[in-house]
Amino acid sequence: MGKVAADSGDVVEAVRRYREALKLNPDYDQAMNNLANILKDQGHLDEALYLLQQATSLRPDFAAAWMNLGIVQASLGHHTAAETSYLTALTHRSVYPDCLYNLGNLYLEKGDHNAALATWTNATSLKPSLAVAWTNMLILLDSQANINLPLMLLTKHSRLLPHLILWHLPNEPALHFNLANTLGKLSCYQESESHFLLATSLDSANANYWVNLGVLYHRWHKYDRAQQAYVRALSLNPGLKSARDNLSMLLKATGKISR
């Protein structure tokens, strides 16, 4: 009954039912795990931590509980303990892309960008539809372009990712958007444009996609297209400061009058 309530979005009822289940059976590890997940999302990390420690103690091969324990420990800033929990989960379930995704997030928090990228790569190789891992890889590559990651590694992933995304997730606009930003920073303007256009075709009402397409055209010296993209962004979100500022800058630079 707790699971049915949780699946329907009634977390108050779910918590009540899980607590009742644990009163009836204090060693019910699955109820501990499920209750801890809700408490974690509600910000009750200390109780979630206690429940997951109990669950993994009762069932040492409970891979999902170990992963969830790692998530809670990471949220509390216990990075070493979180890494141990994630790795323990992976020893009990070798094919566990969601755990690899969370482990990659932990490496990112610790500043080990190469390990994060490698771990997310493993996650997507096991589960190509894991959009959050693809997105994090793209965001990392975008933020690290020509800064910390070796250029060869950066170029390798930037060139490989488009083909993988088009094959596995052709209709995820956020992935095309983040990939376009990464390619744009590498001055791969045509490839960047193609992914921006895909993102805007898949989610045409997203003003942020249009303003970033405008930035690409702006840098590419395609000023008329940049202006059109900024105007489209402002038609969707008149209060979007980045679009308004960029349009004003463009009009001044090209000798047009801003109105």
Side-chain angles (χ1 to χ4, degrees), residues 112-148:
D112 192 343
H113 295 157
N114 288 336
L117 189 61
T119 306
W120 289 328
T121 299
N122 289 339
T124 54
S125 68
L126 294 171
K127 187 179 178 182
S129 63
L130 193 59
V132 287
W134 288 116
T135 298
N136 281 7
M137 290 168 70
L138 291 170
I139 292 172
L140 176 58
L141 287 169
D142 179 56
S143 67
Q144 296 300 309
N146 298 316
I147 300 175
N148 293 326

Side-chain angles (χ1 to χ4, degrees), residues 45-66:
L45 297 179
D46 289 336
E47 186 178 1
L49 179 70
Y50 171 78
L51 287 167
L52 291 166
Q53 287 173 333
Q54 289 292 104
T56 53
S57 177
L58 289 164
R59 199 197 326 168
D61 63 349
F62 194 172
W66 279 112

Side-chain angles (χ1 to χ4, degrees), residues 162-214:
H163 303 290
L164 294 173
I165 290 171
L166 287 173
W167 179 259
H168 296 297
L169 294 162
N171 298 316
E172 287 286 340
L175 289 175
H176 287 292
F177 170 70
N178 284 297
L179 178 57
N181 279 329
T182 300
L183 291 167
K185 287 192 175 183
L186 293 171
S187 299
C188 302
Y189 294 137
Q190 288 186 333
E191 293 172 81
S192 176
E193 178 191 31
S194 68
H195 287 283
F196 270 131
L197 293 176
L198 278 168
T200 55
S201 68
L202 291 165
D203 186 2
S204 60
N206 192 316
N208 194 41
Y209 291 177
W210 288 103
V211 73
N212 279 273
L213 175 59

